Amino acid sequence: MINVIIATKNFRFLYKLNEILDTIDEIKTEHILPDETIPDSTDVVVTTEPEKRLLEWDKKFIPKAFNRYYLFSNILQLASGIDNFEEVIIGIDPGKTIGYAVVADKNTVINVQEIYTAVDTVKEVISTFFNIETDNLVIKIGAGGGVIKNEIVHRLNEIFYEKVPIHIVKEDFTSKTRLSSSEKKLSKNITSAILIASRETYV
């Protein structure tokens, strides 16, 4: 759990920030005013550009955008003391309902969700690409999914034109495999996407 203090008098900023951070289970937020004492248990302080000078704390984050990938990855990196992730893998389980997972450095799940069209899946990949700092971004797509898979691959190739590696991955047993009991209950599509992201064997 990452303890985040939002230190601001700007309540519009606070509302927009909480709207996103409240959906992230790994982050616990608390609001204080900039002149109040920061709790010792704090990992990261989030504030605005004008208010940052009022706060004496090493790990301060001044967000420039309100995007889940951007906020979560920056807070996570700051709390962990790293500049960026060595590798981020996008796992996609294509089908009528598309599973989507973003996994950083092999074991940190940044986001999971279900998506219902190839176009929206590609939009999510673009959002991931532009909002997470990483040395290496890889996309892994399950070999099943037929027409949906082909459309996703085609659209991604048109957009990234070999700038981002796209691998087709065997899906054997991904739909029947359960993650460890410590994981929260996830749909089979999301579970498959996470497992696809971890696969090393390509078709």
Side-chain angles (χ1 to χ4, degrees):
M1 183 67 67
I2 303 172
N3 293 313
V4 173
I5 290 293
I6 304 172
T8 185
K9 292 180 180 178
N10 184 333
F11 286 92
R12 184 181 180 189
F13 173 83
L14 174 66
Y15 174 79
K16 291 179 73 174
L17 203 55
N18 269 331
E19 197 173 26
I20 297 171
L21 297 186
D22 284 350
T23 67
I24 303 173
D25 293 339
E26 295 83 358
I27 290 178
K28 179 183 177 183
T29 62
E30 183 181 340
H31 172 237
I32 65 170
L33 297 175
D35 58 354
E36 293 181 319
T37 302
I38 299 171
D40 291 337
S41 60
T42 302
D43 295 307
V44 175
V45 173
V46 183
T47 190
T48 64
E49 185 68 36
E51 293 169 312
K52 69 178 183 181
R53 61 182 179 80
L54 304 173
L55 300 160
E56 291 189 11
W57 197 262
D58 289 338
K59 295 182 177 181
K60 284 185 289 191
F61 175 47
I62 296 86
K64 302 294 189 295
F66 295 94
N67 171 283
R68 180 192 171 98
Y69 295 114
Y70 171 76
L71 292 172
F72 187 21
S73 62
N74 274 278
I75 289 170
L76 186 56
Q77 288 165 358
L78 195 55
S80 305
I82 60 175
D83 293 328
N84 60 1
F85 298 116
E86 290 183 12
E87 182 177 61
V88 170
I89 298 176
I90 298 172
I92 299 173
D93 178 36
K96 186 175 179 181
T97 300
I98 300 162
Y100 188 88
V102 180
V103 182
D105 293 344
K106 296 186 178 179
N107 58 13
T108 302
V109 178
I110 300 294
N111 192 32
V112 294
Q113 62 179 302
E114 290 185 328
I115 307 175
Y116 300 96
T117 69
V119 171
D120 286 341
T121 302
V122 173
K123 286 180 180 177
E124 200 65 26
V125 172
I126 293 169
S127 179
T128 305
F129 175 79
F130 281 109
N131 286 288
I132 299 180
E133 289 292 329
T134 179
D135 295 330
N136 187 31
L137 179 72
V138 177
I139 301 169
K140 296 183 182 180
I141 304 173
V147 174
I148 296 291
K149 179 207 72 180
N150 294 338
E151 183 180 354
I152 292 171
V153 172
H154 175 72
R155 288 178 179 274
L156 289 175
N157 278 325
E158 280 193 330
I159 291 166
F160 292 110
Y161 193 64
E162 299 183 353
K163 291 179 181 177
V164 176
I166 300 172
H167 300 295
I168 308 302
V169 181
K170 290 181 180 179
E171 290 188 49
D172 308 37
F173 309 115
T174 57
S175 62
K176 296 179 181 179
T177 305
R178 292 184 179 181
L179 299 177
S180 68
S181 58
S182 62
E183 296 280 355
K184 62 183 180 181
K185 189 174 181 181
L186 300 170
S187 73
K188 67 176 184 178
N189 300 303
I190 288 173
T191 299
S192 293
I194 293 172
L195 293 169
I196 285 167
S198 70
R199 284 287 169 93
E200 298 295 341
T201 304
Y202 308 121
V203 174

